[in-house]
Amino acid sequence: MASSAPSPRPATAPFSVCFVCTGNICRSPMAESVFRALVRDAGLDGLVLVDSAGTDGWHEGDEADPRTVAVLASAGFDTAHAARQFQAGWFARLDLVVALDRGHQRALRRLARTPQDADKVRLLRSFDPSAVAAGDLDVPDPYYGDFVGFEECLKMVEAACEGLLDVVRDTVEGRPE
């Protein structure tokens, strides 16, 4: 599944990306932290807004899972986070809604009020050519596993976020001044 560039919004509005998993305490905060660091390192701060949410509200207000925090911290990423539930009304302000697995993708597309909103939903690993080639587009949920699962999750997230950055950079840099 090839990823095409998202539809650009007006040049005056920052490009907005939201990562979504189930509870917003493992995978999506990991992707948010990694992508925010890549955006900063690429000099796109202020041009790209990054956040995350969950399809469900079970953990609203909670910090990220301690294993997520430990893996992110050991890799040098920011760990500040408060979980929240994705709301259908957010589609209007978002350019891209990045699902961490196919279940999230289906849930988000059901929430979409218009075909344009549904088109904003992409799988994170669709931005990783090796994952696309292998046909393996889901980031497995590490929650019920051990610490190694969180480390593997971070590797998948990092690889996909590199590809996502290329797409977002091209979109942002292609906007008229």
Side-chain angles (χ1 to χ4, degrees):
M1 175 174 145
S3 294
S4 60
S7 302
R9 289 190 345 181
T12 56
F15 190 89
S16 187
V17 179
C18 184
F19 295 94
V20 181
C21 69
T22 306
N24 193 217
I25 60 169
C26 296
R27 294 171 283 178
S28 59
M30 197 178 286
E32 175 186 2
S33 182
V34 168
F35 195 65
R36 184 174 285 124
L38 290 173
V39 164
R40 182 191 64 239
D41 294 348
L44 299 175
D45 260 355
L47 298 174
V48 180
L49 300 177
V50 183
D51 63 10
S52 66
T55 57
D56 297 304
W58 305 321
H59 299 285
E60 279 191 290
D62 292 350
E63 295 178 357
D65 184 285
R67 296 164 294 181
T68 298
V69 171
V71 167
L72 287 171
S74 70
F77 293 107
D78 181 33
T79 61
H81 178 73
R84 61 200 187 128
Q85 184 175 6
F86 188 89
Q87 303 298 314
W90 296 359
F91 278 109
R93 69 171 174 79
L94 294 168
D95 293 291
L96 192 56
V97 181
V98 183
L100 276 286
D101 70 29
R102 287 181 179 101
H104 307 130
Q105 181 185 39
R106 285 188 299 274
L108 289 162
R109 286 190 172 155
R110 280 192 303 270
L111 278 177
R113 295 175 178 162
T114 67
Q116 293 80 12
D117 288 348
D119 287 345
K120 294 178 182 183
V121 180
R122 307 284 173 76
L123 284 167
L124 176 61
R125 292 195 76 202
S126 71
F127 296 98
D128 178 353
S130 65
V132 172
D136 185 14
L137 299 181
D138 288 346
V139 176
D141 188 352
Y143 186 78
Y144 294 104
D146 58 17
F147 192 76
V148 172
F150 283 80
E151 293 172 325
E152 291 169 358
C153 182
L154 180 60
K155 288 177 190 173
M156 289 179 198
V157 165
E158 287 179 302
C161 281
E162 290 286 344
L164 175 57
L165 179 66
D166 291 340
V167 171
V168 170
R169 181 189 293 121
D170 289 349
T171 302
V172 170
E173 290 177 352
R175 288 182 174 184
E177 296 289 330

